[in-house]
């Protein structure tokens, strides 16, 4: 009796302090709550102050309903009494949660207890989830718990935030609860109702009794989290009593310290915990308010957080024969690039056709592991080796290897082609391929090379690590308002991390497992032929943390080539034995020009051959590109060549040794951008053998073909840079605005008294203005303003101000501006100087 009074008193306090936290129906006031609905008239309060079924004749079931507590943590406690033996036609149901007030609705979803309902003395208490007509049994009590000729049972059900249900009973009607069963199930719905339902025959219509219905939010665990590998945090729904000695009843095998917050309990372990599932029970944890104990069993799942670069393919043997000293078998070496131990049981290795899951093995940080086929580990005489049933077969010459976590997340991959790894005896087999550097990051950087180890490799030995972040950014303007950005890793961009020059309007992600791609739509259009910059301040890396990168990415929006912009500048048509032809093209404009889409036509012996230049071939302002069928061979031919200008054109037209003619045609297929002829008699007459010597243009930007404008290269060839025999196209005389001389002496001795400023607008009837500025931006002299110009113009400045005052020694800026009748405006600036000597 004292326990019951204490329980009622506690419940009253809960109701007063927070009416949404508890419900108590004890019927001590001899009335049914006015908030109840359903078949209320079929019930009454008995002389013992209990809710009693008092159904009319002819009825077979009766229901009462009340608003439920909507909470993820809840406990239900009540007393049920039958003055009969339960059967298939006489039993009670307690609805813990229900979405509808009508428990029999076809759309109703509910959790309910069925108390009895079978023949004989084998009746149980069963917890069901029902959705419409579909029922699912979650748990049940021991057989016979409610199987007596008369039933008296106090029932307590607890559900925690994880959906774990626990059923406790005392079949004497007291408070000495025994745990019957536990199970996990939860379907999130809007549950608004609780209630009772009695199913009965006519002789049992007044034999059901219910009492002490107590529903409350218990002292419970809301959630837990592993803040890091050695810190476990529990979050409770009530304040914790910190006066007790907390114990975690679980064999972690690691000492820990306990720290308290108001509703937080933190366990800090001396060593990191492995990723796995732990089953635990917290002991001596009590609510600070009600001193209610927490007694739930807890399943703690510590997930392994995987990310790109965490596990690397550091070395592999694709062609073990003939052996240079290692076992004649294929193998793959993995290295843990992180600072956390990894159980590789969730790791899978594959090539494009086969896949294999690795067995359990704890790979320590910065450690290596060899993976090979069955029965091969003993050949390596090392412990850090595991065997798999079928290792993906690695092709000798080229292949791809992938490392997956949980079958879905790509941690790393390599694509190898031994033809790109150099030449020599290692190509014949017996030598492993390894990464040049291993770093823990979010990229898929390759950086492969043959091993330097004389025995053919170093299996099982962890490589050196680097902190260099090899995430590569590549951007391309794909229309006048769109930019595509590619990153060779798994990172996320935020528009706020990209600096202003792009002026991004929208941004969308089109990432794949191998690459991250973003498409930007910009507010303002790009001008064809110009270069821009994309400045990325930081990224969100694959560990979901902001990482500063401060990357400046050039963006080029090339214009289509036009006449008098691109010139055929050098040609090698009779290479040395084993050599290759090449054609050099020069961009004489101040714009970025797209060569891709253009055509090369060669005519020789009345035969015409053609090459369509595919892809992206942008030539920067005043720069060269060299087209050749083999860039590597061309570099070997000419050691001084600027190979960054080389473009490999697989099907480049053949240039016959006997000579011919070459035409560069615009992408429209009609406009000829430049035309040349080439023959041996264009070479220097003193050159006895022209084999391996190129023909160079003397004046690059002469738009008319003249045989006298071609001669032999003094360097044999100059692929990618200025011609050895050339009239310097970047001399001052070739510029629109230049000075010669650029210094004026102000001592009035008649020597070097003037700066001469030359303005060559190359357009008749242009108007212009020429001013001298100080470096502070103030105008010092107007040499002329809005004056009609000729084809070539020269002006003198004596280093004096407009009023004749001598200027101090220093640097000044000459600014020329000229405009033509079509509205085109040109501006050019040059630095000039004065002094008294």
């Amino acid at each position: 009796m004292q326990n019951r009074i204490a329980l009622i008193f506690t419940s009253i306090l809960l109701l007063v302090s927070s009416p949404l936290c508890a419900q108590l129906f004890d019927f001590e006031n001899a009335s049914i709550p006015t908030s109840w609905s359903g078949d209320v008239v079929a019930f009454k309060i008995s002389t013992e102050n209990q809710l009693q079924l008092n159904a009319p004749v002819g009825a077979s079931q009766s229901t009462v309903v009340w608003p439920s507590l909507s909470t993820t943590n809840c406990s239900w406690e009540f007393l049920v009494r039958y003055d009969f033996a339960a059967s298939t036609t006489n039993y009670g149901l307690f609805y813990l949660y229900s979405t509808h007030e009508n428990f029999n609705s076809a759309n109703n979803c509910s959790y309910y207890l069925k108390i009895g309902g079978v023949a004989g003395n084998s009746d149980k208490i069963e917890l069901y989830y029902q959705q419409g007509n579909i029922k699912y049994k979650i748990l049940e009590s021991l057989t016979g718990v409610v199987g007596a000729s008369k039933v008296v049972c106090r029932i307590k059900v607890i559900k925690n935030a994880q959906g774990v249900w626990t059923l406790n009973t005392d079949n004497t009607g007291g408070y000495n609860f025994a745990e019957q069963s536990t199970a996990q199930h939860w379907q999130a719905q809007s549950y608004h109702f609780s209630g009772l339902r009695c199913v009965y025959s006519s002789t049992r219509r007044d034999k059901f009794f219910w009492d002490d219905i107590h529903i409350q939010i218990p002292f419970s665990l809301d959630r837990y989290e592993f803040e890091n590998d050695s810190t476990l945090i529990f979050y409770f729904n009530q304040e914790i009593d910190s006066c007790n000695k907390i114990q975690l009843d679980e064999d972690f095998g690691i000492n820990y310290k306990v720290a308290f917050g108001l509703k937080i309990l933190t366990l800090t372990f001396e060593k990191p915990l492995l990723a796995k599932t732990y089953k635990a029970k917290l002991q001596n944890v009590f609510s600070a308010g009600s001193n209610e104990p927490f007694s739930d069993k807890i399943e703690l799942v510590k997930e392994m957080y995987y990310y790109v670069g965490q596990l690397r393919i550091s070395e592999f043997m694709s062609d073990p024969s003939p052996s240079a000293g290692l076992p004649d078998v294929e193998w793959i070496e993995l290295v843990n690039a992180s600072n956390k131990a990894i159980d590789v049981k969730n790791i899978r290795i594959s090539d494009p056709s086969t896949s294999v899951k690795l067995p359990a093995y704890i790979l320590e940080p910065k450690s290596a592991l060899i993976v090979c086929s069955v029965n091969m580990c003993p050949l390596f005489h090392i412990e850090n080796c595991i065997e798999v049933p079928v290792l993906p077969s690695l092709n000798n010459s080229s292949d791809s290897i992938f490392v997956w976590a949980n079958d879905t997340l790509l941690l790393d991959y390599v694509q190898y082609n031994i033809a790109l790894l150099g030449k020599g005896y290692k190509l014949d087999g017996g030598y492993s391929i390894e990464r040049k550097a291993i770093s823990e990051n979010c990229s898929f950087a390759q950086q492969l090379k043959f091993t330097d180890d004389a025995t053919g490799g170093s299996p099982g030995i962890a490589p050196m690590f680097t902190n260099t972040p090899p995430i590569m950014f590549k951007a391309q303007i794909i229309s006048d308002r769109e930019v595509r950005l590619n990153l060779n890793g798994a990172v996320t961009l935020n528009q706020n991390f990209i600096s202003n020059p792009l002026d991004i309007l929208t941004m969308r992600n089109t990432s794949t497992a191998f690459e991250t791609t973003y498409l930007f739509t910009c507010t303002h259009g790009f001008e064809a032929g110009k270069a821009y910059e994309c400045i990325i301040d930081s990224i969100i890396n694959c560990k979901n943390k902001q990482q500063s990168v401060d990357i400046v990415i050039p963006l080029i929006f090339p214009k289509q080539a036009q006449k008098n912009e691109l010139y055929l500048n050098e040609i090698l048509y009779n290479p040395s034995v084993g050599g290759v032809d090449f054609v050099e093209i020069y961009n004489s404009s101040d714009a970025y020009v797209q060569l891709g889409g253009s055509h090369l036509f060669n005519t020789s012996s009345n035969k015409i051959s053609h090459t369509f230049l595919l892809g992206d071939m942008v030539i920067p302002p005043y720069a060269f590109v060299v087209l050749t069928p083999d860039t590597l061979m061309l570099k070997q031919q000419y050691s001084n060549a600027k190979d960054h200008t080389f473009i490999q054109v697989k099907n480049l037209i053949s240039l016959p040794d006997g000579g011919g003619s070459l035409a560069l045609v615009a992408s429209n297929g009609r406009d000829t951008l430049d035309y040349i002829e080439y023959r041996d008699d264009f070479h220097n007459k003193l050159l006895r053998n022209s084999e391996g010597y190129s023909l160079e243009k003397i004046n690059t930007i002469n738009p008319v073909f003249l045989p006298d404008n071609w001669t032999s290269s003094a360097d044999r060839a100059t692929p990618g840079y200025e011609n050895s025999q050339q009239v310097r196209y970047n001399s001052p005389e070739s510029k629109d605005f230049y000075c010669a001389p650029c210094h004026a002496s102000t001592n009035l001795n008649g020597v070097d008294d003037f700066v001469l400023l030359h303005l060559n607008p190359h357009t008749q009837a242009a108007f212009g203005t020429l001013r001298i500025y100080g470096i502070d931006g103030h105008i010092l002299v107007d040499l002329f303003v809005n004056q009609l110009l000729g084809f070539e113009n020269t002006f003198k400045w004596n280093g004096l101000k407009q009023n004749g005052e001598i200027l101090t020694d220093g640097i000044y800026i000459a600014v020329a501006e000229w405009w033509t009748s079509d509205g085109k405006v040109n501006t050019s600036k040059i630095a000039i100087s004065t002094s008294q000597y």
Side-chain angles (χ1 to χ4, degrees):
M1 186 64 177
Q2 289 179 342
N3 286 340
R4 182 175 179 185
I5 293 172
L7 175 62
I8 293 171
F9 181 69
T10 301
S11 302
I12 292 172
L13 287 177
L14 286 170
L15 283 167
V16 171
S17 61
S18 180
L20 296 178
C21 295
Q23 294 174 326
L24 174 62
F25 308 117
D26 59 10
F27 313 108
E28 293 298 315
N29 61 358
S31 64
I32 297 174
T34 57
S35 61
W36 285 20
S37 60
D39 305 317
V40 177
V41 296
F43 292 84
K44 70 175 184 178
I45 304 302
S46 71
T47 57
E48 296 178 350
N49 286 342
Q50 294 181 335
L51 181 68
Q52 180 182 359
L53 179 66
N54 188 34
V57 176
S60 61
Q61 59 177 297
S62 299
T63 301
V64 288
V65 184
W66 63 84
S68 69
L69 286 180
S70 180
T71 175
T72 55
N73 298 290
C74 201
S75 71
W76 298 261
E77 184 181 319
F78 59 92
L79 178 72
V80 60
R81 178 164 67 89
Y82 303 155
D83 281 352
F84 57 87
S87 66
T88 56
T89 56
N90 292 277
Y91 58 89
L93 302 101
F94 192 107
Y95 282 79
L96 309 170
Y97 287 126
S98 176
T99 58
H100 288 64
E101 188 174 6
N102 180 4
F103 297 151
N104 292 320
S105 169
N107 297 319
N108 191 37
C109 296
S110 62
Y111 286 91
Y112 65 86
L113 290 173
K114 182 180 180 184
I115 305 161
V118 297
N121 59 0
S122 59
D123 292 87
K124 307 173 184 178
I125 303 171
E126 299 166 303
L127 174 63
Y128 283 90
Y129 171 72
Q130 182 169 0
Q131 184 173 3
N133 295 322
I134 301 173
K135 297 179 182 179
Y136 174 78
K137 185 189 290 187
I138 298 170
L139 56 77
E140 61 183 14
S141 70
L142 297 175
T143 301
V145 167
V146 287
S149 58
K150 290 187 177 183
V151 175
V152 177
C153 188
R154 193 174 297 275
I155 300 171
K156 185 173 185 178
V157 179
I158 302 172
K159 187 193 81 70
N160 68 15
Q162 287 73 45
V164 176
W165 300 82
T166 304
L167 174 63
N168 303 276
T169 63
D170 182 343
N171 55 7
T172 68
Y175 293 92
N176 296 315
F177 291 106
E179 183 177 311
Q180 293 288 323
S181 182
T182 184
Q184 187 171 21
H185 185 278
W186 182 242
Q187 290 292 328
Q189 299 279 355
S190 297
Y191 297 107
H192 298 298
F193 304 98
S194 297
L196 305 170
R197 184 156 67 100
C198 300
V199 178
Y200 50 87
S201 60
S202 60
T203 58
R204 305 287 189 253
R205 59 189 177 83
D206 60 352
K207 301 295 189 291
F208 288 78
F209 298 86
W210 308 83
D211 200 5
D212 297 339
I213 300 172
H214 186 198
I215 306 171
Q216 67 171 347
I217 300 174
F219 175 48
S220 58
L221 180 67
D222 281 340
R223 62 186 177 91
Y224 71 88
E225 68 176 23
F226 287 92
E227 186 179 58
N228 52 51
D229 284 344
S230 56
T231 304
L232 173 59
I233 304 177
F234 296 99
Y235 297 88
F236 290 89
N237 67 338
Q238 297 177 27
E239 292 186 20
I240 306 168
D241 184 354
S242 60
C243 298
N244 303 289
K245 186 176 181 180
I246 306 295
Q247 288 186 344
L248 187 62
D249 183 19
E250 157 59 54
D251 185 20
F252 283 100
I254 304 174
N255 293 330
Y256 57 85
K257 295 180 180 180
V258 179
F260 293 90
L262 290 178
K263 298 181 180 180
I264 297 175
L265 182 65
T266 302
L267 304 184
T268 304
F269 295 84
E270 290 183 352
K271 294 193 300 183
L273 297 172
L274 290 175
K276 69 174 190 176
T277 299
Y278 299 92
K279 293 186 178 180
K281 185 172 183 179
L282 278 169
Q283 295 181 330
N284 298 328
V285 180
F286 292 88
S287 165
S290 62
N291 205 33
E292 181 183 355
F294 175 79
S295 58
D296 267 4
K297 292 180 179 177
I298 312 168
E299 187 173 83
L300 304 172
V301 180
K302 185 177 184 298
E303 300 283 358
M304 185 70 196
Y305 181 75
Y306 295 104
Y307 56 88
V308 173
Q310 182 184 36
L311 200 62
R312 291 287 193 189
I313 300 170
S314 51
E315 189 176 0
F316 57 93
M317 179 69 80
S318 62
D319 184 9
S321 300
S323 172
L326 292 177
D328 192 3
V329 296
E330 293 182 358
W331 47 269
I332 299 171
E333 180 185 82
L334 301 178
V335 63
N336 181 356
S338 73
N339 56 7
K340 302 176 183 179
I342 301 175
D343 189 341
V344 299
K345 67 180 180 181
N346 294 322
I347 303 300
R348 186 177 294 275
I349 295 178
S350 71
D351 65 5
S353 59
T354 59
S355 175
V356 65
K357 189 174 183 179
L358 303 188
Y361 181 94
I362 304 300
L363 183 58
E364 296 296 330
K366 304 298 187 285
S367 299
L369 171 67
I370 295 300
V371 183
C372 59
S373 297
V374 175
N375 301 324
M376 296 302 168
C377 275
L379 301 177
F380 291 93
H381 306 290
I382 57 176
E383 294 183 357
N384 52 329
C385 181
I386 58 175
E387 299 173 350
V388 293
V390 180
L391 185 73
S393 178
L394 307 179
N395 297 332
N396 290 353
S397 58
S398 63
D399 209 338
S400 300
I401 313 171
F402 307 93
V403 179
W404 304 88
N406 295 326
D407 295 327
T408 56
L409 178 63
L410 184 65
L411 300 183
D412 195 22
Y413 80 98
V414 294
Q415 290 180 315
Y416 65 92
N417 184 341
I418 63 171
L420 304 177
L421 302 181
K423 296 184 178 181
Y425 61 92
K426 294 179 182 179
L427 290 170
D428 297 329
Y431 289 86
S432 68
I433 299 172
E434 60 187 20
R435 276 230 172 87
K436 296 178 183 178
I438 300 291
S439 60
E440 183 196 8
N441 55 59
C442 306
S443 79
F444 292 119
Q446 300 294 293
Q447 298 178 299
L448 303 177
K449 70 180 185 69
F450 277 116
T451 182
D452 295 325
D453 196 289
T455 62
S458 54
I461 301 174
M464 297 293 291
F465 292 82
T466 177
N467 292 323
T468 304
I471 296 177
M472 304 299 293
F473 296 79
K474 182 181 179 182
Q476 182 183 16
I477 298 176
I478 56 177
S479 76
D480 63 345
R481 289 184 183 273
E482 291 183 301
V483 175
R484 181 171 55 230
L485 177 64
N486 296 91
L487 302 88
N488 68 332
V491 300
T492 304
L493 283 182
N494 185 312
Q495 189 167 326
N496 296 328
F497 299 162
I498 303 175
S499 297
N500 226 7
L502 273 188
D503 198 11
I504 298 171
L505 181 64
T506 63
M507 181 175 77
R508 59 191 177 95
N509 187 327
T510 60
S511 298
T512 66
F514 305 95
E515 187 176 57
T516 301
T517 303
Y518 282 90
L519 291 177
F520 304 143
T521 302
C522 300
T523 304
H524 303 291
F526 299 107
E527 182 180 349
K530 299 299 182 182
Y532 301 85
E533 289 181 340
C534 174
I535 304 173
I536 299 178
D537 304 311
S538 60
I539 59 175
I540 301 297
N541 63 26
C542 53
K543 301 177 190 177
N544 202 31
K545 295 183 179 179
Q546 185 173 342
Q547 175 184 336
S548 177
V549 290
D550 195 21
I551 296 290
V552 179
I553 306 171
L555 287 170
I556 297 171
F557 189 36
K559 65 187 293 291
Q560 292 300 312
Q562 296 178 350
K563 195 171 181 63
N564 298 330
E565 288 183 340
L566 299 186
Y567 293 93
L568 298 166
N569 188 54
E570 186 175 2
I571 182 170
L572 178 67
Y573 62 93
N574 185 17
S576 302
V577 176
V580 290
D581 299 339
F582 74 79
V583 176
E584 181 185 80
I585 300 172
Y586 175 67
N587 176 10
S588 67
S589 74
D590 61 355
Y592 289 83
V593 177
Q594 179 62 265
L595 180 63
S598 302
H599 308 258
L600 278 175
F601 290 92
N602 184 73
T603 303
S604 179
S605 302
N606 295 321
K607 293 182 179 180
I608 299 177
S609 56
H610 168 250
T611 292
F612 178 58
L613 301 178
L614 295 169
D616 193 29
M617 300 181 182
V618 178
I619 312 180
Y622 310 114
F624 306 89
V625 294
V626 177
L627 308 181
T628 180
D630 192 327
T631 57
L632 183 61
M633 188 177 295
L634 182 59
K635 176 62 178 176
Q636 292 172 347
Q637 280 181 267
Y638 303 100
S639 58
N640 293 330
K642 308 299 183 184
D643 55 347
H644 68 275
T645 67
F646 291 3
I647 297 177
Q648 185 155 313
V649 181
K650 185 177 180 180
N651 298 314
L652 185 67
I653 53 178
S654 175
L655 304 176
D657 294 351
S661 61
L662 191 65
L664 177 63
V665 179
S667 58
N668 60 19
R670 299 187 303 271
D671 298 333
T672 300
L673 303 177
D674 198 13
Y675 169 84
I676 65 168
E677 297 176 10
Y678 56 95
R679 298 194 302 270
D680 283 351
D681 56 4
F682 291 176
H683 279 284
N684 189 300
K685 306 304 181 187
L686 299 178
L687 187 65
R688 295 183 178 181
N689 184 2
S690 63
E691 184 177 283
Y693 281 81
S694 70
L695 278 176
E696 295 180 341
K697 252 186 182 178
I698 298 172
N699 181 357
T700 296
I701 60 176
N702 189 338
V704 179
F705 171 73
L706 297 171
D708 292 343
N709 197 28
W710 291 84
T711 188
S712 306
S713 172
D715 296 332
R716 293 181 61 244
T718 57
Y721 60 100
E722 297 174 1
N723 295 344
S724 63
Q725 306 285 8
Q726 183 168 318
V727 173
R728 298 183 66 84
Y729 46 81
N730 62 348
S731 64
E733 292 80 4
S734 67
K735 298 179 180 180
D736 288 328
F737 183 44
Y738 66 96
C739 57
C742 299
H743 178 80
S745 173
T746 57
N747 57 13
L748 305 178
N749 65 354
V751 179
D752 297 329
D753 289 341
F754 297 98
V755 170
L756 295 182
L757 298 167
H758 307 275
L759 183 58
N760 303 323
H762 303 299
T763 303
Q764 297 289 345
F767 280 78
T769 295
L770 180 58
R771 292 186 170 104
I772 309 298
Y773 289 79
I775 58 174
D776 60 358
H778 287 88
I779 299 175
L780 301 176
V781 181
D782 285 326
L783 291 183
F784 64 85
V785 177
N786 198 20
Q787 178 177 318
L788 179 64
L789 302 175
F791 188 77
E792 294 183 355
N793 310 272
T794 301
F795 302 92
K796 297 192 298 182
W797 180 54
N798 57 6
L800 305 180
K801 287 185 179 182
Q802 196 83 43
N803 60 6
E805 181 183 343
I806 298 176
L807 291 169
T808 57
D809 298 355
I811 304 296
Y812 299 91
I813 307 297
V815 180
E817 184 179 19
W818 67 99
W819 51 94
T820 56
S821 58
D822 60 2
K824 185 176 181 181
V825 178
N826 303 275
T827 302
S828 184
K829 304 175 184 179
I830 53 177
I832 54 180
S833 61
T834 67
S835 70
Q836 294 186 18
Y837 52 87

